[in-house]
Amino acid sequence: MEAVDSDTSQWVTDELEESTRPSTSRGIAGSIKTKEFDSILYGPVVDYSFRNLETLSDCVKLTPRTGFRPNEYTENKKLKSCSLRLSHNRLCDLSGLQQVLIQCTKLQILNLHGNQISELYEVDKLASLPHLRSLTLHGNPLELVKGYRSYVVGIVPQLKSLDYSTITKQDRSTATILKSFTKRKHVARRKYDD
C-alpha cells in the first residue's frame, strides 16, 4: 500500500513540475500559471477590469489594481507594462483609447472582453497598436457580427491570439480575402457615386 502511495505521490510531483514548465513544443510559452508567467514576461498587468467604466477616459482618473507585482513606472510616469485589462466594464466604444495608451509602453496584450462594444468599426482604432499580439473582445455585441474574427485579423494583422484562441493560417487567409473584397466594394461605390 505504501509503495503505491509513494509511486502516486512521485507521479503527481512529476506531473506538477511538467505542467508548470513553459511549453517548448509551441512558439509561445505556456504553463498552468499563465497569469504569473505573463507578469514575469510582460511586466505587471495594468488592471482596470470590473470598474464599471463607461468611457476609456475614466481610466486616467483611476489608479490601476496591482497584481502579483506592484506597478512600475518610467521616469516619464508611464506604466512599465505590456498588458492592459479593461474587461467587464460598460464600455460602448473605444474613444479616448490614445489617452489610456499613453500610459503604457509597447502594449502587447489588451483585454476588452465583457463590455458593450457593438460597432465593428471600433476595432479600427486598434490598428495603431503595432506591438499588439493578444486581444480579447468576446462577450461584446460586436462578436455576433458576421465576419467579426476575419475583420479583426484584417485590421490588426500582427495579432497572434484573438479571444484566447490562436490565429491560424486559415484565419489570416480569410481576413485577406475579406479585406480585398471590401476594398474593391468601397472603390466601386466611390466610382459610382462620382
Side-chain angles (χ1 to χ4, degrees), residues 43-187:
V45 175
V46 178
D47 190 0
Y48 291 107
S49 57
F50 296 99
R51 294 281 185 100
N52 286 326
L53 301 174
E54 292 183 1
T55 63
L56 287 173
S57 56
D58 294 343
C59 293
V60 180
K61 302 170 192 168
L62 299 172
T63 304
R65 284 191 198 92
T66 56
F68 295 105
R69 294 173 29 196
N71 291 319
E72 299 171 14
Y73 294 87
T74 65
E75 295 170 2
N76 302 336
K77 307 258 184 191
K78 290 184 179 182
L79 289 160
K80 284 185 181 178
S81 178
C82 296
S83 182
L84 177 61
R85 289 186 189 153
L86 292 164
S87 56
H88 301 287
N89 284 297
R90 295 184 298 172
L91 300 173
C92 294
D93 60 36
L94 298 177
S95 58
L97 183 65
Q98 293 304 321
Q99 292 175 348
V100 176
L101 296 178
I102 287 172
Q103 295 181 4
C104 298
T105 58
K106 296 183 181 177
L107 186 66
Q108 294 183 20
I109 301 171
L110 180 58
N111 294 346
L112 287 165
H113 58 275
N115 282 292
Q116 298 171 1
I117 303 167
S118 59
E119 299 297 331
L120 201 52
Y121 65 81
E122 289 294 328
V123 175
D124 295 353
K125 297 172 185 171
L126 303 176
S128 65
L129 304 174
H131 304 288
L132 191 62
R133 299 291 179 257
S134 178
L135 175 65
T136 60
L137 288 166
H138 61 278
N140 284 288
L142 66 83
E143 80 171 328
L144 302 175
V145 174
K146 188 174 183 179
Y148 148 77
R149 186 172 178 85
S150 298
Y151 184 82
V152 174
V153 172
I155 295 297
V156 193
Q158 71 276 12
L159 282 178
K160 304 289 182 204
S161 169
L162 175 61
D163 297 334
Y164 298 116
S165 175
T166 303
I167 295 173
T168 63
K169 289 180 183 178
Q170 181 64 44
D171 290 332
R172 294 194 189 285
S173 175
T174 305
T176 303
I177 292 168
L178 179 68
K179 196 169 185 179
S180 67
F181 175 73
T182 55
K183 278 184 182 177
R184 280 186 287 187
K185 188 176 177 182
H186 291 302
V187 169

Side-chain angles (χ1 to χ4, degrees), residues 1-6:
M1 182 79 169
E2 287 181 27
V4 172
D5 289 339
S6 68

